[in-house]
């Protein structure tokens, strides 16, 4: 349990640092692109694909952190009418459900990456497609880990739903 | 039959707070398995997140919006609008409507407005002699007002999902957005001009408030004007906005500290972005299945046996969307419902840009629709009032919004005349 939260916290720190780096890069490159186009009528050919793949990375890292802090978008119409005990039980069930979905997606994304490695192509600055796409299996591993941590916490800690 | 029961079970899970992306993915996985398609097809669809430039604007605008929300911008905004409109009869109500609308356009209507601005304006309304019922209704309503104005997140998301020109959609939302504010302002003035004291217009106050907000005032004009004049695209506007807001709030006003606030703001804003985009990613798989199975066409044929008239269709659409908007948050509603509705509406001859505005107006009202509209709960929580009281307080405002909705739905020119120019 302690080890699990330790790993969880450490990963969250790393994710946050990467998020900060990626978003800063995005702001700088995006703005440089505007300046170049409007003032010098040129542009960086690699900027657009870089920005597009950064969105993909931000999406998965952000989603992983959102799982950790229970901040995913959901519909909350029925849970508020339940007793605390029932709430806990339902919460365990829905978390297990979400975990299983993510594990299936993790498996499919690994299969997908395997296919992509066989047909590599350059996206920008010599970086190949499958490297950029690796964030999908990485993302689903992180999200699956978070759902697992959630389930463990709900079962073992008293006042958590 | 088994599949049908499973889908019902998944939807039941959704109603008990299961993350929506998991529910949508589960339905997509089920659909692909039942047609014996390899599941990596879902992943290929997810990759479409990295295929279009439109989505680049989402993290950049969200980041900028969060900076504005965390700084003292809300205060300066209220001061400025107060100096501008406060002297009018029912002026303070107009101040609330205008400042909340501008704020929501930048922060993306996720309930932040009520939390950030509500606490500022609600006490002021009570002090200004507005009744508690009116004030509660006004602030709750204002919480989602303004999502028709650029650069609101729902507009960008709609443009991506419906594959319409985002620059056009940004322009199309302006007049309908102003119409909503105008009708609500009219109602507020007529209802309150006898009861409330009016403050005098003071040029000195206006001058001071303008100087205070001098760095923030150009922002909306920069975005709307720049796009309208064709100086830059929406994506470029998002990069400019992010850099501009960063410099203004951190280095000129110094409301926020780089070391203390920036990492937190980035993390918070990217959690929202991740939450939205992961739903989008999972829905792309499901949508591709639905389109391949020609589900929209089948729904269209079914509807067509009962309705052949465009106007009846639009009425039906409004009712349907209000229910969707009440149950779902605006982002998932756009992501899930738009791909199914758009082809059907096109068959009925509805302009795709106009459809977008109808869509977003409905979802905006859905935020306020009892019994489960999101703003009602946020408001009840924020102002510590029973939810029933909020229902009753919001009711007259919803009726006004219905009138606006009918106008927007049946007079397409309101949305389109600036676009066609």
């Amino acid at each position: 349990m302690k080890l699990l939260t330790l790993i969880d916290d450490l990963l969250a720190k790393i994710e946050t640092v990467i998020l900060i780096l990626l978003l800063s890069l995005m702001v700088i490159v995006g703005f440089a692109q505007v300046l170049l186009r409007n003032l010098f009528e040129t542009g960086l050919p690699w900027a657009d694909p870089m920005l597009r793949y950064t969105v993909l990375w931000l999406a998965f890292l952000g989603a992983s952190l959102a799982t950790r802090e229970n901040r995913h978008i959901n519909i909350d119409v029925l849970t508020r009418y339940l007793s605390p005990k029932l709430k806990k039980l339902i919460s365990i069930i829905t978390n297990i459900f979400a975990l299983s979905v993510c594990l299936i997606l993790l498996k499919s994304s690994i299969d997908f990456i395997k296919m992509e490695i066989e047909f590599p192509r350059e996206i920008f600055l010599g970086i190949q497609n499958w490297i950029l796409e690796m964030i999908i299996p990485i993302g689903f591993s992180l999200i699956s880990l978070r759902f697992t941590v959630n389930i463990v916490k709900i079962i073992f800690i008293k006042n958590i739903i | 039959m088994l599949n049908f029961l499973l889908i019902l079970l998944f939807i039941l899970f959704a109603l008990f707070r299961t993350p929506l992306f998991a529910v949508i993915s589960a339905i997509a996985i089920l659909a692909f398995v039942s047609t014996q398609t390899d599941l990596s097809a879902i992943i290929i669809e997810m990759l479409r997140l990295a295929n279009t430039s439109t989505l680049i604007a989402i993290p950049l605008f969200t980041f900028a919006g969060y900076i504005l929300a965390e700084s003292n911008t809300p205060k300066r905004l209220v001061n400025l609008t107060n100096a501008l409109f406060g002297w009018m009869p029912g002026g303070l109500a107009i101040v609330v409507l205008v400042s909340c609308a501008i704020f929501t356009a930048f922060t993306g209507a996720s309930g932040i407005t009520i939390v950030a601005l509500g606490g500022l304006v609600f006490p002021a309304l009570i002090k200004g002699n507005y009744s508690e019922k009116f004030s509660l209704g006004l602030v709750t309503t204002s919480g989602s007002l303004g999502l028709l104005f650029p650069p609101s997140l729902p507009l960008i998301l709609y443009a991506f999902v419906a594959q319409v020109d985002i620059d056009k959609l940004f322009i199309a939302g302006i007049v309908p957005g102003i119409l909503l504010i105008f009708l609500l302002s009219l109602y507020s003035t007529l209802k309150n001009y006898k009861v409330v004291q009016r403050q005098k217009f003071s040029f000195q106050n206006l001058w001071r408030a303008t100087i205070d907000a001098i760095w923030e005032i150009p922002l909306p004009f920069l975005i709307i004007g720049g796009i309208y004049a064709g100086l830059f695209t929406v994506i470029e506007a998002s990069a400019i906005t992010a850099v501009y807001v960063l410099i203004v709030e951190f280095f000129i006003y110094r409301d926020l500290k780089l070391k203390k606030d920036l990492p937190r703001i980035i993390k918070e804003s990217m959690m929202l972005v991740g939450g939205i985009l992961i739903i989008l990613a999972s829905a792309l798989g499901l949508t591709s299945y639905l389109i391949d199975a020609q589900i929209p066409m089948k729904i269209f044929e079914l509807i067509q046996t009962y309705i052949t008239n465009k106007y009846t269709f639009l009425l039906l659409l409004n009712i349907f969307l209000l229910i969707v908007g009440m149950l779902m948050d605006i982002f998932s509603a756009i992501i899930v419902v738009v791909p199914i509705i758009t082809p059907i509406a096109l068959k009925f001859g509805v302009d795709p840009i106009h459809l977008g505005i109808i869509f977003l107006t409905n979802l905006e009202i859905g935020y306020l629709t009892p019994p489960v509209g999101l703003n009602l709960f946020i408001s009840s929580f924020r102002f510590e009032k029973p939810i029933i009281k909020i229902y009753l307080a919001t009711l007259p405002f919803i009726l006004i919004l219905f009138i606006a909705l009918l106008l927007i739905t049946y007079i397409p020119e309101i949305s389109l005349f600036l676009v066609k120019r």
Side-chain angles (χ1 to χ4, degrees):
Chain A
M1 176 89 172
K2 250 192 182 156
L3 182 71
L4 206 57
T5 23
L6 202 71
I7 298 172
D8 184 34
D9 290 347
L10 183 69
L11 281 174
K13 284 214 176 87
I14 299 172
E15 284 165 295
T16 312
V17 171
I18 300 176
L19 268 183
I20 293 172
L21 290 177
L22 285 178
L23 190 68
S24 314
L25 196 67
M26 199 171 179
V27 172
I28 293 166
V29 173
F31 191 65
Q33 186 78 332
V34 178
L35 290 184
L36 287 175
R37 191 181 77 92
N38 287 293
L39 302 180
F40 307 106
E41 288 179 7
T42 63
L44 309 163
W46 48 267
D48 186 60
M50 195 219 90
L51 291 173
R52 283 190 278 114
Y53 276 92
T54 311
V55 173
L56 189 72
W57 281 66
L58 289 176
F60 277 91
L61 292 173
S64 164
L65 285 174
T67 316
R68 179 170 186 262
E69 309 207 354
N70 266 318
R71 294 270 283 274
H72 272 294
I73 296 174
N74 55 41
I75 303 174
D76 187 7
V77 283
L78 298 182
T79 1
R80 55 179 119 240
Y81 306 109
L82 300 176
S83 71
K85 247 193 182 156
L86 208 54
K87 243 186 206 173
K88 217 171 159 98
L89 179 71
I90 296 237
S91 184
I92 294 172
I93 296 174
T94 54
N95 269 292
I96 291 176
F97 169 71
L99 172 63
S100 346
V101 171
C102 289
L103 288 175
I104 295 175
L105 292 174
L106 174 60
K107 163 89 178 43
S108 334
S109 56
I110 293 173
D111 292 345
F112 172 72
I113 295 289
K114 279 184 192 154
M115 286 188 322
E116 292 284 276
I117 291 179
E118 283 176 35
F119 304 98
R121 57 202 158 84
E122 186 194 322
I123 303 288
F124 63 90
L125 298 179
I127 304 178
Q128 284 179 345
N129 55 343
W130 64 272
I131 297 178
L132 294 167
E133 291 156 0
M134 276 298 283
I135 189 60
I136 303 182
I138 294 174
F140 281 123
S141 327
L142 290 169
I143 296 173
S144 304
L145 176 78
R146 259 61 199 257
F147 278 124
T148 315
V149 174
N150 284 354
I151 296 166
V152 173
K153 276 188 180 162
I154 299 166
I155 295 178
F156 291 103
I157 301 178
K158 261 204 174 141
N159 297 318
I160 283 188
I161 295 160
Chain B
M1 188 58 201
L2 175 69
N3 285 352
F4 182 68
L5 287 178
L6 277 174
I7 290 177
L8 279 186
L9 179 71
F10 294 162
I11 293 174
L12 191 68
F13 278 147
L15 296 178
F16 283 101
R17 289 187 56 183
T18 309
L20 272 178
F21 88 89
V23 175
I24 296 167
S25 296
I27 299 176
I29 291 170
L30 187 67
F32 278 73
V33 168
S34 67
T35 52
Q36 276 140 21
T37 318
D38 193 87
L39 282 184
S40 50
I42 295 184
I43 309 296
I44 296 175
E45 292 297 330
M46 286 188 170
L47 259 184
R48 278 175 52 202
L49 282 193
N51 276 351
T52 14
S53 307
T54 314
L55 293 181
I56 297 171
I58 290 187
L60 291 174
F61 274 132
T62 311
F63 174 53
Y66 265 72
I67 296 179
L68 289 174
E70 293 274 331
S71 64
N72 290 331
T73 310
K75 219 178 194 166
R76 286 189 288 266
L77 180 63
V78 171
N79 279 343
L80 180 65
T81 36
N82 195 22
L84 274 174
F85 304 111
W87 56 274
M88 293 157 100
L92 197 53
I94 301 175
V95 170
V96 175
L97 291 166
V98 173
S99 52
C100 285
I102 296 176
F103 193 71
T104 306
F106 277 93
T107 53
S110 40
I112 306 177
T113 307
I114 295 179
V115 178
L117 277 178
L120 224 57
V121 294
F122 185 68
L125 282 166
I126 299 292
K127 214 171 126 195
N129 231 0
Y130 291 81
S131 72
E132 186 188 82
K133 188 180 163 207
F134 175 84
S135 310
L136 276 176
L138 181 73
V139 176
T140 312
T141 309
S142 306
S144 58
L145 200 64
L147 55 82
L148 291 177
F149 293 128
S152 92
L153 234 50
L155 280 174
I156 305 174
L157 205 57
Y158 182 91
F160 173 79
V161 178
Q163 293 173 341
V164 299
D165 186 341
I166 184 168
D167 296 355
K168 281 185 185 160
L169 196 65
F170 265 25
I171 303 299
I174 295 173
V175 182
I178 292 175
L179 176 74
L180 296 182
I181 296 181
F182 175 75
L183 288 180
L184 290 171
S185 301
L186 198 66
Y187 166 73
S188 306
T189 305
L190 291 177
K191 186 158 165 51
N192 290 299
Y193 74 100
K194 276 183 192 154
V195 226
V196 297
Q197 330 102 296
R198 281 167 58 179
Q199 33 172 314
K200 282 207 187 91
F201 177 77
S202 144
F203 195 75
Q204 208 181 356
N205 269 351
L206 179 61
W207 178 248
R208 205 176 304 136
T210 309
I211 292 296
D212 263 356
I214 194 72
W215 290 100
E216 283 150 344
I217 294 169
L219 203 50
F221 300 101
L222 188 76
I223 296 175
I224 298 174
I227 295 168
Y228 194 53
L231 286 178
F232 38 74
T233 63
V234 169
I235 296 142
E236 291 178 319
S238 68
I240 296 171
T241 307
V243 171
Y244 185 86
V245 167
L246 196 68
I247 292 173
V248 166
E249 304 302 335
F250 280 90
F251 298 108
I252 297 181
Y253 286 120
R254 294 168 190 264
D255 288 347
L256 302 163
K257 302 263 172 300
L258 268 185
K259 249 190 162 163
K260 193 174 124 250
D261 299 307
L262 193 61
R264 184 174 48 88
I265 292 175
I266 292 180
K267 191 179 157 200
E268 290 287 318
S269 57
M270 289 309 111
M271 277 201 281
L272 177 67
V273 170
I276 296 170
L277 291 183
I278 193 85
I279 292 183
L280 182 58
S282 49
L284 286 171
L286 182 61
T287 307
S288 81
Y289 166 79
L290 293 177
I291 302 289
D292 280 349
Q294 300 202 311
I295 303 290
M297 279 312 300
K298 283 174 190 158
I299 299 177
F300 172 67
E301 278 158 21
L302 184 73
I303 298 176
Q304 217 187 15
T305 50
Y306 301 100
I307 301 166
T308 45
N309 184 316
K310 175 178 162 183
Y311 299 100
T312 331
F313 167 74
L314 282 175
L315 190 68
L316 203 71
L317 181 68
N318 280 335
I319 296 167
F320 172 71
L321 288 177
L322 283 173
I323 298 171
V324 170
M326 179 184 82
L327 284 173
M328 280 176 145
D329 75 289
I330 193 158
F331 305 116
S332 344
I334 292 172
I335 292 166
V336 177
V337 179
V338 169
I340 304 171
I341 296 291
T342 318
I344 300 174
L346 284 182
K347 284 267 175 196
F348 276 103
V350 184
D351 182 280
I353 301 273
H354 180 214
L355 181 70
I357 303 301
I358 296 176
F359 226 95
L360 296 179
T361 313
N362 270 297
L363 296 179
E364 179 169 331
I365 302 173
Y367 266 95
L368 309 168
T369 316
V372 287
L374 184 65
N375 274 2
L376 301 165
F377 289 108
I378 296 178
S379 212
S380 157
F381 178 76
R382 178 71 183 75
F383 303 113
E384 297 171 1
K385 299 281 184 258
I387 188 87
I388 301 290
K389 204 168 187 177
I390 309 273
Y391 290 167
L392 294 175
T394 322
L395 216 55
F397 294 92
I398 297 182
L399 292 179
I400 308 277
L401 288 176
F402 275 150
I403 298 173
L405 175 65
L406 289 177
L407 290 173
I408 291 171
T409 306
Y410 290 110
I411 311 174
E413 284 72 24
I414 296 177
S415 317
L416 297 177
F417 86 95
L418 275 182
V419 182
K420 280 183 180 152
R421 212 179 54 119

